[in-house]
Amino acid sequence: MTDIYEQSDLSSGSHQQQQSDEDIMDVRKGPWTVEEDTKLMEYVTLHGEGRWNSVARCSGLKRTGKSCRLRWLNYLRPDVRRGNITLQEQLLILELHSRWGNRWSKIAQHLPGRTDNEIKNYWRTRVQKQAKQLKCDVNSKQFRDAMRYVWMPRLMERIQASSSKSSPGQSAVEASTNPARMKEPGSSQMDPNFMPELSGTSSESLDTPISSQSDLTVEYGRNPQQGIDYGDNLRSGSGWLSPEDLVGNWSVDGFGFPAAAEEVMSGDDWLGEWNVENIWLQLCE
DNA sequence: AAGTCCAACAACCGCCCACAT
DNA sequence: AATGTGGGCGGTTGTTGGACT
């Protein structure tokens, strides 16, 4: 890869811009070098955040203010948290996205250390991929329901399993269905006031990174009425559908998922007695 | 070993809004 | 009130590295 110094887009047209040659010629694009990172870090440490255009000018970086800001927020900031998205974070992202849609920065506010860019990338690479595989729109009701009744419960199960391994007391799912038990001090990094039902107890095991194989691909179609206590999470008044709603809307005849699901689940990853026929029979009983 | 494909991530772009002048 | 500027946001593209053929 080569470092790119390129003319700004403004200079590519036939009109001569009134910018100085310096502005036009010296804007750097592309990946940041270690030297640039160091310069930016030192400057911000010394002078603080904000006034990014000034930062770009005064620090000697040949970058736009926007570029400096982005690099700082997404990478250099000391509290930025890198590494795999944990199960809890994944669950939270799904839940918050169901509430707010693509409000990445708003979602990121509730995942300490995570950036909107990171969450957005997660959504695009993991979640949208599943929608594509299932041949449905990521914003469709079908896919949202699949998330609510398959993916998220599966995540809760895994969180519960992780939690019970390390602390036999309260599980994340128990906690999630009983807000009154969420007042333990020093529980989750997540804002307990914001979404108590998703803030479990603190546990190393809850930081288990997600696998690249998504739960939706593997577990899609699990009967939502088996194996897990949904508790208040199935409350219909807050955007959740009741199991009855689910069954009513998801008739095998009237819904396009089974065929797509069968395709997705036909791989080696699919385990257990759950085949597509069973799943949809259970759903429709 | 070389080539191809693809997932994941970093970075850029354009639009918009808030605020200062 | 109009205008300019800084900064935030969401969408998109480019790059990289690993898996696969």
Side-chain angles (χ1 to χ4, degrees):
Chain A
M1 184 227 312
T2 56
D3 286 339
I4 304 163
Y5 284 83
E6 68 176 52
Q7 294 195 343
S8 108
D9 294 341
L10 294 172
S11 65
S12 60
S14 57
H15 300 292
Q16 286 293 333
Q17 304 296 316
Q18 298 303 309
Q19 294 172 280
S20 70
D21 287 345
E22 190 180 51
D23 288 341
I24 292 174
M25 300 298 293
D26 275 357
V27 175
R28 254 184 61 82
K29 289 183 176 180
W32 281 65
T33 64
V34 176
E35 289 76 21
E36 287 178 311
D37 281 347
T38 307
K39 260 188 188 177
L40 180 57
M41 193 118 71
E42 284 174 354
Y43 190 90
V44 174
T45 303
L46 224 60
H47 299 93
E49 297 180 42
R51 309 284 299 176
W52 293 106
N53 283 342
S54 303
V55 171
R57 266 197 312 273
C58 303
S59 65
L61 289 163
K62 298 178 191 314
R63 295 275 182 173
T64 64
K66 280 188 175 186
S67 183
C68 293
R69 173 182 164 270
L70 218 57
R71 183 65 177 171
W72 173 258
L73 291 178
N74 289 340
Y75 197 84
L76 297 176
R77 209 160 33 108
D79 59 333
V80 70
R81 189 176 171 206
R82 313 197 66 77
N84 290 329
I85 307 278
T86 65
L87 294 173
Q88 263 198 345
E89 287 173 325
Q90 190 180 12
L91 184 58
L92 194 51
I93 290 169
L94 295 180
E95 166 65 19
L96 295 182
H97 187 276
S98 75
R99 293 185 184 193
W100 298 326
N102 297 354
R103 301 290 306 277
W104 306 118
S105 61
K106 193 170 181 179
I107 293 171
Q109 285 171 9
H110 298 280
L111 284 97
R114 299 295 187 185
T115 68
D116 55 350
N117 208 34
E118 199 173 7
I119 294 166
K120 183 171 57 181
N121 280 330
Y122 163 76
W123 185 264
R124 291 190 62 80
T125 56
R126 310 285 177 80
V127 181
Q128 287 197 344
K129 183 178 73 178
Q130 300 307 325
K132 197 177 173 184
Q133 283 182 300
L134 293 169
K135 294 183 170 64
C136 66
D137 188 89
V138 74
N139 294 315
S140 67
K141 180 179 184 306
Q142 289 96 326
F143 188 72
R144 287 203 308 269
D145 287 347
M147 282 197 298
R148 286 173 185 147
Y149 294 110
V150 180
W151 201 345
M152 293 169 73
R154 177 58 183 152
L155 278 170
M156 282 192 254
E157 278 183 348
R158 289 177 63 182
I159 291 169
Q160 183 180 27
S162 302
S163 179
S164 59
K165 255 187 262 172
S166 58
S167 87
Q170 179 191 21
S171 75
V173 171
E174 281 175 323
S176 77
T177 58
N178 189 354
R181 298 177 65 178
M182 295 299 295
K183 303 298 184 185
E184 296 170 20
S187 56
S188 168
Q189 289 185 53
M190 299 165 191
D191 181 356
N193 296 319
F194 172 71
M195 200 187 315
E197 69 268 28
L198 289 177
S199 301
T201 53
S202 173
S203 165
E204 294 280 332
S205 61
L206 293 183
D207 285 337
T208 310
I210 58 170
S211 65
S212 59
Q213 175 65 53
S214 99
D215 291 311
L216 186 56
T217 301
V218 177
E219 299 291 346
Y220 169 57
R222 179 179 290 267
N223 182 349
Q225 296 179 49
Q226 283 203 355
I228 187 166
D229 175 16
Y230 286 79
D232 292 335
N233 284 338
L234 283 177
R235 62 198 182 279
S236 55
S238 61
W240 291 87
L241 299 175
S242 70
E244 290 72 25
D245 290 335
L246 178 69
V247 172
N249 291 329
W250 279 22
S251 73
V252 173
D253 288 337
F255 186 52
F257 256 49
E262 186 162 23
E263 196 173 315
V264 171
M265 293 187 295
S266 61
D268 296 335
D269 290 321
W270 184 251
L271 303 171
E273 75 277 19
W274 290 102
N275 58 45
V276 175
E277 258 181 34
N278 285 343
I279 292 156
W280 294 107
L281 280 173
Q282 291 281 344
L283 279 175
C284 295
E285 268 175 6

